[in-house]
């Protein structure tokens, strides 16, 4: 029979890597372990570096915009929106005078004038401008209900349809029915963009189809009442849709879920404030 002490010694030997007395101990490849640790450290360092570079690009773009405003603000009407293309070669500005101006830094002469000025939305203030991820088209959001997409030179590419304001369920109408508040491009899909409106909806659109929105999200208060989204954005991986609402909430949906699904996350603000813009920070939008 095997005593309890012998059995305990056997378990201890097994834990320590010995299969039995007098036999060869388990061997470890230290070089392989060190190599795996080194690779893991390099991968994590690269991820952190990519996140830092992404943030630096946003900071650089912001500084470029500020420098531009310092140079041209005295000679321009009040600017309400601006956007810098991904390459940093061009800038587009929109104002309360309904004008959209295109600036090419490489092609400027000593007068520093814009090379093109248009009024794509007639008598509506320009509320938001953004270049697509490829920089070949620009999303124009104004005070009317229809967002427009222009090419790099200001020529029209697409206009979103206007919805029917007499339909009760806003998800069943093909477009917005009230003034737009904000808009942005999908960070991964170059032909998709999103808008939000005073009609209480957030809608996604496909550049190749101007007949109807792709999806419609309807923010709701805790009491189930309609609330107005004042700004919207995608997460960095494009899987989430978020809207800052007039009641002080930030509501988040899974982009691939149906419009009838309750928001996946709901963060209640302490005060009722108007959100101007919201953005997902690097590394904080992961969903397992």
């Amino acid at each position: 029979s095997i005593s309890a002490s012998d059995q305990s010694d056997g378990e201890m030997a097994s834990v320590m890597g010995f299969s039995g007395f007098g036999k060869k101990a388990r061997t470890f490849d230290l070089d392989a372990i060190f190599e795996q640790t080194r690779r893991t450290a390099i991968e994590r360092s690269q991820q952190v570096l990519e996140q830092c570079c992404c943030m630096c690009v946003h900071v650089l773009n912001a500084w470029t915009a500020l420098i531009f405003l310092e140079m041209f603000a005295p000679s321009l009407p009040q600017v309400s929106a601006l956007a810098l293309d991904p390459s940093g070669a061009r800038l587009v500005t929109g104002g309360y005078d309904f004008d959209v101006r295109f600036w090419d830094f490489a092609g400027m002469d000593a007068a520093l004038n814009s090379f093109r000025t248009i009024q794509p939305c007639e008598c509506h203030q320009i509320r938001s401008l953004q270049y697509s991820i490829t920089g070949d088209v620009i999303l124009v959001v104004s005070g009317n209900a229809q967002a427009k997409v222009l090419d790099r030179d200001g020529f029209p590419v697409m206009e979103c349809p206007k919805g029917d304001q007499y339909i009760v369920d806003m998800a069943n109408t093909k477009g917005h029915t009230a003034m737009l508040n904000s808009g942005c491009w999908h960070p991964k899909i170059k032909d998709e963009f999103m808008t939000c409106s005073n009609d209480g909806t957030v809608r996604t659109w496909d550049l190749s189809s101007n007949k109807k929105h792709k999806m419609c999200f309807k923010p709701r208060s805790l009491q189930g009442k309609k609330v107005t989204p004042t700004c919207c954005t995608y997460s960095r991986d494009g899987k989430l849709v978020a809207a800052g609402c007039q009641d002080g909430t930030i509501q988040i949906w899974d982009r691939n879920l149906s419009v009838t699904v309750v928001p996946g996350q709901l963060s209640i603000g302490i005060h009722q404030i108007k959100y101007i813009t919201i953005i997902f920070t690097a590394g904080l939008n992961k969903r397992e």
Side-chain angles (χ1 to χ4, degrees):
S1 62
I2 301 175
S3 64
S5 60
D6 293 339
Q7 185 176 0
S8 177
D9 292 341
E11 293 176 353
M12 181 63 71
S14 177
V15 171
M16 296 179 65
F18 298 92
S19 59
F21 181 77
K23 294 185 178 180
K24 187 177 180 180
R26 183 185 303 172
T27 59
F28 297 93
D29 190 345
L30 296 179
D31 291 338
I33 294 175
F34 290 148
E35 179 63 21
Q36 180 62 33
T37 304
R38 186 184 68 84
R39 290 180 179 178
T40 302
I42 291 175
E43 291 176 358
R44 291 181 179 177
S45 298
Q46 289 177 344
Q47 292 176 357
V48 173
L49 181 61
E50 289 175 358
Q51 294 174 1
C52 291
C53 288
C54 183
M55 295 302 295
C56 287
V57 168
H58 287 291
V59 172
L60 181 61
N61 290 347
W63 275 109
T64 303
L66 288 174
I67 293 172
F68 175 85
L69 288 177
E70 288 291 335
M71 293 173 59
F72 296 98
S75 60
L76 287 178
Q78 190 171 3
V79 175
S80 58
L82 57 83
L84 188 68
D85 80 337
S87 66
R90 285 190 175 185
L91 183 76
V92 59
T93 63
Y96 288 93
D97 60 348
F98 323 133
D99 285 347
V100 173
R101 301 171 186 267
F102 293 80
W103 311 80
D104 189 338
F105 295 124
M108 281 186 181
D109 55 14
L112 302 179
N113 292 325
S114 60
F115 71 87
R116 185 173 174 81
T117 300
I118 60 174
Q119 288 189 352
C121 304
E122 298 178 350
C123 58
H124 296 282
Q125 171 210 340
I126 306 301
R127 302 181 64 87
S128 175
L129 295 168
Q130 189 179 66
Y131 278 91
S132 65
I133 56 175
T134 56
D136 56 345
V137 288
I138 305 165
L139 174 62
V140 180
V141 175
S142 67
N144 65 359
Q146 297 172 270
K148 291 187 176 183
V149 178
L150 309 176
D151 65 11
R152 285 178 59 84
D153 296 321
F155 295 99
V157 174
M158 173 191 173
E159 182 179 30
C160 296
K162 186 175 182 179
D164 187 346
Q165 60 183 343
Y166 297 105
I167 295 179
V168 176
D169 188 353
M170 286 290 100
N172 293 329
T173 186
K174 60 184 178 180
H176 290 296
T177 61
M179 178 183 73
L180 299 176
N181 289 319
S182 180
C184 63
W185 289 96
H186 192 285
K188 302 293 184 182
I189 304 174
K190 68 175 184 176
D191 291 335
E192 181 178 316
F193 62 93
M194 174 170 56
T195 55
C196 64
S197 166
N198 279 355
D199 64 6
T201 63
V202 179
R203 301 173 191 260
T204 60
W205 306 85
D206 193 328
L207 192 59
S208 61
S209 174
N210 62 351
K211 295 182 179 180
K212 187 180 179 181
H213 62 260
K214 290 179 64 176
M215 296 193 70
C216 178
F217 305 92
K218 297 182 292 183
R220 290 290 183 267
S221 66
L222 289 178
Q223 293 76 31
K225 297 181 179 180
K226 181 178 75 172
V227 293
T228 300
T230 58
C231 60
C232 57
T233 189
Y234 288 98
S235 62
R236 291 180 178 270
D237 58 8
K239 295 180 180 179
L240 301 178
V241 169
C245 302
Q246 204 167 29
D247 65 345
T249 62
I250 296 177
Q251 304 191 25
I252 306 175
W253 301 266
D254 188 317
R255 172 181 165 273
N256 297 319
L257 295 182
S258 170
V259 298
T260 58
V261 176
V262 177
Q265 300 180 36
L266 182 63
S267 175
I268 305 298
I270 299 177
H271 305 287
Q272 291 190 359
I273 59 176
K274 180 178 180 180
Y275 293 100
I276 303 300
T277 184
I278 54 177
I279 186 172
F280 282 80
T281 57
L284 298 181
N285 64 325
K286 295 181 180 179
R287 286 171 63 92
E288 300 296 337

